[in-house]
Amino acid sequence: MTEEISDLMTVEVAYALPQKQVIISIDVKTGTTALEAIQQSQLLLAYPELSLKNCKIGIFGKVASFDAVLKPLDRVEIYRPLIADAKEARRLRVTTKKGSATNKEVAAKRGRAAKSSQQKRQKE
């Protein structure tokens, strides 16, 4: 019985949704892979929309493969697929900002306003 206990280690499996984060702590056998830990956590049953085909995983923020062997106290993180491409999102932000005043235009307007108020004071 002591051999069985010593062969176990504790790991965590984490999955985050926009509204909440789930971290499940489980005891697994030494030599367990990330995929096996995810399956043992039963997150796939709790969140049927979760498909590992579309997701990447990591261990403590570093991308890892499903067959990565876990160490005691590792945290397996399931990453949701990106909704928007980062480059495309940046392009959209830049395009949107072009329609608004640039920093130089705002500074120029402020400078003109400051000169105008100085001129009014000088006349008085």
Side-chain angles (χ1 to χ4, degrees):
M1 190 169 191
T2 54
E3 284 182 39
E4 290 178 23
I5 293 173
S6 65
D7 286 344
L8 292 178
M9 62 181 180
T10 301
V11 298
E12 293 179 332
V13 180
Y15 178 59
L17 296 167
Q19 302 84 12
K20 75 178 196 177
Q21 177 179 359
V22 179
I23 300 177
I24 298 176
S25 182
I26 57 172
D27 291 325
V28 297
K29 290 183 180 179
T30 303
T32 297
T33 64
L35 178 60
E36 292 168 339
I38 292 169
Q39 291 168 337
Q40 289 178 36
S41 73
Q42 299 189 358
L43 274 174
L44 299 173
L45 295 174
Y47 297 94
E49 70 278 3
L50 175 60
S51 170
L52 295 180
K53 292 178 185 175
N54 302 333
C55 297
K56 290 187 177 186
I57 64 164
I59 299 173
F60 285 117
K62 293 188 177 186
V63 176
S65 64
F66 288 101
D67 60 353
V69 177
L70 301 177
K71 295 179 247 167
L73 304 177
D74 272 351
R75 182 181 64 227
V76 179
E77 301 161 341
I78 303 170
Y79 305 129
R80 290 179 289 121
L82 294 176
I83 295 172
D85 178 41
K87 288 181 182 179
E88 185 61 29
R90 184 175 187 285
R91 275 191 211 109
L92 288 172
R93 283 195 308 271
V94 169
T95 303
T96 306
K97 284 184 180 180
K98 283 184 180 178
S100 64
T102 64
N103 289 339
K104 289 181 181 178
E105 291 171 336
V106 171
K109 287 179 183 178
R110 287 182 183 157
R112 286 193 297 266
K115 284 182 184 178
S116 171
S117 64
Q118 284 177 350
Q119 290 171 352
K120 287 180 184 178
R121 286 186 207 136
Q122 287 175 353
K123 288 182 182 178
E124 293 173 355

